[in-house]
Amino acid sequence: MGEPETAARRLNLSQAFNPVGAILGVIVGTLFIFSGVEHSQQSIETMKASGLYDAYLQSETMRVVIPYIVIGCIVLIWAFVLYKTKFPETKKEENTSYSSKGSFKKLFSHRHFRNGVITQFCYVGAQVGTWSYYIPYVQDYTGGSEKLAGYLLTGTLAAFGIGRFMATIVMKYYAPEKLMGAFSIINILLVSISVLFPGWLGLWSIFLTSFFMSLMFPTIFTLSIKGLGDNTKLGGSIIVMAIIGGAVFTPLMGIIADSTHSMAIAMLVPLACYLVVTWFSYSGSASTSDLKISDDPEVFTSH
């Protein structure tokens, strides 16, 4: 939908609306799933002694049922609306010979695509891991309640949405890869603060990472599929599948936190992921043809 040069801006804009759903989800969880009751270790031992602890755990677990049923009904209603909606036919661009299928061999011969899959894998791991353990980080190092932590998580998701809108505007003046590189460096610094200075300073540092990570998924996506030709659809599918990184790095962070008894040390995982994003921004996103041009002084000058 438009010129390839502005693809990153368009995708950032369209994905800027995704955080709205994420924010609503966290608000629902904070208001209707978190009870706000946090027992001390002594009161827990008392409940165990009186045989009431299992019933308490059951009642807390059942708090998710009604919100999930409501969300499930909304999804079913929306699915029915989509089913009944008539969408226009997709027209192929003129003078293109793109096939509906692609070639894995040709696809993975593209350097920037291979690097993009790895980078997207790492980025989503950083995103999911950061948000998954933000509430425990708040509770461990500030003593804040789960309700307060939930509201802070809502706030960082709002910063994520604002970041995507801002990135859409700024990309009009700066190349997407350079902007992403600068943002990833800032996140490396912010996460380093959260590791070295756990507490309120670290809390707000992690809070701000959402703003600077916001442009990464759509920008990595567009940089990875540029110039793929008839392999674009297949390449796009594989880039999306790279979100499995969220299922790999998140439990890794949990293992590290459990073994070291430090949620701050576990934040070294997203820090390492942002190092990969930085590399991709400044080097890994260059295609083979780009490298050939830069290696030839005459061609580079004329270009």
Side-chain angles (χ1 to χ4, degrees):
M1 295 178 63
E3 296 298 324
E5 292 77 13
T6 57
R9 287 188 64 205
R10 295 195 305 275
L11 192 55
N12 267 280
L13 177 61
S14 64
Q15 290 207 333
F17 297 92
N18 292 3
V20 175
I23 292 169
L24 290 176
V26 174
I27 291 175
V28 168
T30 302
L31 294 178
F32 299 105
I33 296 179
F34 285 167
S35 64
V37 178
E38 299 182 55
H39 293 283
S40 65
Q41 188 61 39
Q42 182 178 357
S43 63
I44 291 175
E45 294 299 330
T46 301
M47 284 192 291
K48 287 181 178 179
S50 59
L52 299 176
Y53 190 61
D54 288 342
Y56 164 73
L57 292 179
Q58 179 68 15
S59 65
E60 287 290 288
T61 303
M62 292 302 293
R63 291 179 65 87
V64 307
V65 173
I66 293 179
Y68 276 34
I69 289 175
V70 173
I71 292 173
C73 291
I74 293 173
V75 171
L76 288 174
I77 293 171
W78 184 244
F80 178 77
V81 171
L82 291 178
Y83 175 74
K84 300 297 290 185
T85 301
K86 293 183 178 180
F87 290 95
E89 291 290 335
T90 302
K91 296 182 179 180
K92 293 184 178 180
E93 294 183 20
E94 296 181 0
N95 302 322
T96 59
S97 58
Y98 290 1
S99 61
S100 58
K101 299 181 180 179
S103 168
F104 280 102
K105 184 178 180 180
K106 290 182 179 180
L107 179 61
F108 282 94
S109 67
H110 292 277
R111 172 186 182 270
H112 69 288
F113 172 75
R114 298 193 305 269
N115 295 341
V117 173
I118 296 171
T119 305
Q120 198 73 287
F121 178 84
C122 293
Y123 161 67
V124 176
Q127 182 200 76
V128 176
T130 299
W131 291 348
S132 296
Y133 293 110
Y134 188 57
I135 289 178
Y137 186 97
V138 172
Q139 292 180 302
D140 288 352
Y141 297 115
T142 68
S145 66
E146 62 182 14
K147 286 278 190 180
L148 172 62
Y151 289 130
L152 285 170
L153 180 58
T154 303
T156 196
L157 292 174
F160 184 78
I162 294 171
R164 278 194 172 158
F165 280 111
M166 290 297 296
T168 302
I169 298 172
V170 177
M171 280 183 187
K172 185 176 181 181
Y173 308 100
Y174 294 95
E177 61 271 23
K178 291 183 179 179
L179 185 62
M180 183 169 69
F183 277 20
S184 57
I185 291 174
I186 292 173
N187 266 7
I188 290 171
L189 296 175
L190 289 172
V191 177
S192 297
I193 292 173
S194 73
V195 174
L196 297 173
F197 305 100
W200 284 101
L201 180 59
L203 178 157
W204 288 113
S205 295
I206 297 176
F207 184 99
L208 291 174
T209 60
S210 292
F211 178 90
F212 295 103
M213 76 167 72
S214 60
L215 85 170
M216 293 181 183
F217 183 95
T219 305
I220 293 169
F221 183 94
T222 52
L223 292 175
S224 300
I225 65 170
K226 65 179 181 181
L228 295 185
D230 56 1
N231 286 300
T232 301
K233 289 183 179 180
L234 180 61
S237 299
I238 294 175
I239 290 291
V240 171
M241 290 169 63
I243 64 173
I244 193 68
V248 174
F249 288 106
T250 305
L252 176 61
M253 291 179 67
I255 293 172
I256 294 173
D258 288 342
S259 60
T260 62
H261 303 289
S262 172
M263 200 67 253
I265 293 178
M267 288 296 167
L268 288 171
V269 174
L271 189 152
C273 292
Y274 290 128
L275 288 172
V276 176
V277 177
T278 303
W279 161 77
F280 180 75
S281 300
Y282 292 112
S283 176
S285 60
S287 63
T288 304
S289 58
D290 292 334
L291 293 174
K292 287 180 180 178
I293 291 174
S294 63
D295 290 340
D296 187 336
E298 293 184 5
V299 176
F300 181 78
T301 303
S302 61
H303 180 74

